[in-house]
Amino acid sequence: MSQPKVAVIYYSSTGSVHALAQSIAEGASGAGAEVRVLKVPELAPAEAIASNPAWQAHAEATKDVPVATAADVEWADAVIFGTPTRFGNVASQLKQFLDTLSGLWAQGALADKVYSGFVSTATQHGGRESTLLALYNTVHHFGGILVTPGYTDPIQFATGTPYGASHADAQGQNPISEDTHASARFQGKRVAELTARFLKNA
């Protein structure tokens, strides 16, 4: 099968979404994909970041992660977006990046790619499903092919997240479980494998 190009594009303030992105990328790479892990630009002012030690520490720890551009989306056969939830919706940093893709959208360059998403919330029922469903509205406007993990692997019955890998961090008190990392790796693998299948049949 053709080697798919997968871009994992995320926003993370204190690290949970970043950690999930690493597992997503691991799964996609293990399935033979060429993977780029990229963060979107930060919009919050420096003083807001500095007021939260975890946010400041994560910003420093990930300062060398490449920043995503529209060219990365154009390069990719599949794009997996990661975001924390903000009032049940996509974080403004990722939404702003999506809005910058209107030029590619107008050219039809976002259509027929594979898309998927993953999320972290502060509480167990704090928007993990609504955030991904909101993200996927954008995929429909792109004319993209939505690939979610569903319940296509036993790990999904352990995590209960058919829309995409998700974690509830309880304001940093809950570490990401191995089941959740396994779910993220499975999602990356599934996206890579299905994308390769689509490329083969194109």
Side-chain angles (χ1 to χ4, degrees), residues 85 88 119 121 124-136 151 160-164 166:
T85 191
V119 67
T121 61
Q124 186 69 24
H125 301 290
R128 62 174 65 189
E129 294 179 357
S130 65
T131 298
L132 290 177
L133 290 172
L135 173 64
Y136 295 158
Y151 290 106
T161 54
Y163 301 92
S166 65

Side-chain angles (χ1 to χ4, degrees), residues 81-83 85 88-90 116-120 127-140 146 148-149 161-166 187:
F81 291 113
T83 180
T85 191
N89 213 319
V90 177
S116 198
F118 57 102
V119 67
S120 178
R128 62 174 65 189
E129 294 179 357
S130 65
T131 298
L132 290 177
L133 290 172
L135 173 64
Y136 295 158
N137 285 335
T138 301
V139 174
H140 300 318
L146 185 59
T148 61
T161 54
Y163 301 92
S166 65
Q187 184 174 354

Side-chain angles (χ1 to χ4, degrees), residues 9-26:
I9 298 177
Y10 74 94
Y11 173 71
S12 186
S13 54
T14 58
S16 293
V17 177
H18 170 77
L20 289 175
Q22 303 305 308
S23 291
I24 292 270
E26 183 181 337

Side-chain angles (χ1 to χ4, degrees), residues 55-185:
W55 196 354
Q56 180 68 58
H58 181 66
E60 181 64 25
T62 58
K63 64 182 180 181
D64 294 329
V65 174
V67 175
T69 67
D72 292 306
V73 177
E74 190 170 21
W75 165 85
D77 301 307
V79 185
I80 309 176
F81 291 113
T83 180
T85 191
R86 295 290 185 262
F87 302 112
N89 213 319
V90 177
S92 60
Q93 288 87 345
L94 180 61
K95 181 61 169 65
Q96 192 272 345
F97 176 77
L98 294 172
D99 289 347
T100 69
L101 301 179
S102 58
L104 289 180
W105 169 83
Q107 299 167 31
L110 301 179
D112 303 330
K113 294 179 184 287
V114 170
Y115 297 91
S116 198
F118 57 102
V119 67
S120 178
T121 61
T123 60
Q124 186 69 24
H125 301 290
R128 62 174 65 189
E129 294 179 357
S130 65
T131 298
L132 290 177
L133 290 172
L135 173 64
Y136 295 158
N137 285 335
T138 301
V139 174
H140 300 318
H141 281 259
F142 286 174
I145 302 163
L146 185 59
V147 173
T148 61
Y151 290 106
T152 56
D153 185 89
I155 191 60
Q156 294 305 110
F157 291 94
T159 60
T161 54
Y163 301 92
S166 65
H167 170 62
D169 78 346
Q171 304 293 350
Q173 299 304 305
N174 288 342
I176 301 175
S177 70
E178 179 48 41
D179 279 347
T180 298
H181 278 298
S183 175
R185 287 191 291 270

